[in-house]
Every structure is written in structure tokens, then in C-alpha cells.
Amino acid sequence: MEEEDSMTGISRGIRRLLAVFFAWGVLLCLLPAAKAATDVTSDATAWSNGAYVVSGNVTITDRIEVSSDVTLTLSAGSTLHASKGIHVETGNSLTIGGTGSLVIDSVDRRKAGIGGNDGEASGAITINGGTITVTGGYGAPGIGNGPDCLVSG
């Protein structure tokens, strides 16, 4: 039979078990919370440092500006129609994945569909999945405008 604490009536084994649960709770509170992906909506034209997800059909009529490191997931059955393209300036990065679709088809003159604007190199662009249909503006590439463009998958 386990010894009980005379003041509380709780056995040592139970106290030890409660102490372990308390310690685990404290440790879990110290862990950083996982940041959920941001849903892409028709007015989301500034994407900054984080994960973004397209669910359903979304149309964005202005040029999207990427700052820092952005990951875009195209969910199954979804389509993002970003008619004016996605600006990824040098020093920033965009990684695209998933199984949905991305369509870019009305980009302004001398701007890459995904990448730099007139006369500027693009940041890092990585495409790991999805169905990507891109047309650059007159005199500009569909994807890229610099040395840091990687397309795979």
C-alpha cells in the first residue's frame, strides 16, 4: 500500500503522476504554435512570409506582390486565376505546389507572369506541382526574369 501525504490524503504515486502531467503541459506551452495557412481570397494581393492555400475558384485581378518567403498550395480541384501575375522581386521567394491550377494571362507589358517587373531580375521561384498556365506581358517571360528560377515536378 502506498504512503499517503498526511496533509492532503494523496498518495506519492498519484502526486508523481500529476507532476509529470504538469511538466508535460508546461513544455507543450513553450513549443511554438504551428501557423495555419492563409486562405487566398480575391482581395489578397500582398503575400508576406508564410503559407497560403487556394481552395475552390479564386480570381485576383491585380498583380500579387510576394515579400519574403511564400509557399502557395493549390488544393485539388481549385483554380487561382491571377490575371495580372505574381511579382517576386529579388531577395524574395515563391514555392508553388499542390494539384490545383494557376492561370495567369493578362500581364502588363514587360512584366513576367511570375517573377520580375520591367528590367528587374526575379526572386527564387520553385514550382513543385500543380497545373500552371502562364503568359508573360509583351516582351517578358512567363516565368522568371533571372537566374533563381527552378521548375520541377
Side-chain angles (χ1 to χ4, degrees):
M1 187 162 158
E2 289 193 35
E3 207 174 297
E4 281 189 9
D5 184 323
S6 62
M7 305 258 320
T8 63
I10 300 174
S11 72
R12 281 189 196 176
I14 300 284
R15 283 196 334 228
R16 286 184 184 146
L17 184 60
L18 290 173
V20 168
F21 282 127
F22 179 75
W24 274 108
V26 169
L27 288 174
L28 288 174
C29 289
L30 295 175
L31 292 174
K35 187 175 179 184
T38 301
D39 287 325
V40 174
T41 60
S42 61
D43 60 348
T45 59
W47 299 349
S48 179
N49 197 35
Y52 292 79
V53 63
V54 177
S55 302
N57 296 320
V58 179
T59 298
I60 299 176
T61 56
D62 292 326
R63 190 153 172 88
I64 298 164
E65 296 291 328
V66 169
S67 61
S68 198
D69 300 316
V70 170
T71 300
L72 175 64
T73 300
L74 303 167
S75 297
S78 69
T79 299
L80 172 59
H81 185 206
S83 58
K84 296 293 184 179
I86 303 173
H87 182 215
V88 184
E89 193 174 18
T90 301
N92 300 301
S93 69
L94 174 64
T95 301
I96 301 172
T99 57
S101 299
L102 171 62
V103 176
I104 298 173
D105 58 6
S106 299
V107 180
D108 293 335
R109 191 177 170 88
R110 303 192 55 81
K111 293 180 180 179
I114 303 172
N117 286 336
D118 186 9
E120 78 180 11
S122 70
I125 301 165
T126 304
I127 300 174
N128 293 321
T131 301
I132 314 297
T133 306
V134 180
T135 304
Y138 177 82
I143 300 172
N145 237 24
D148 292 330
C149 182
L150 171 67
V151 178
S152 65

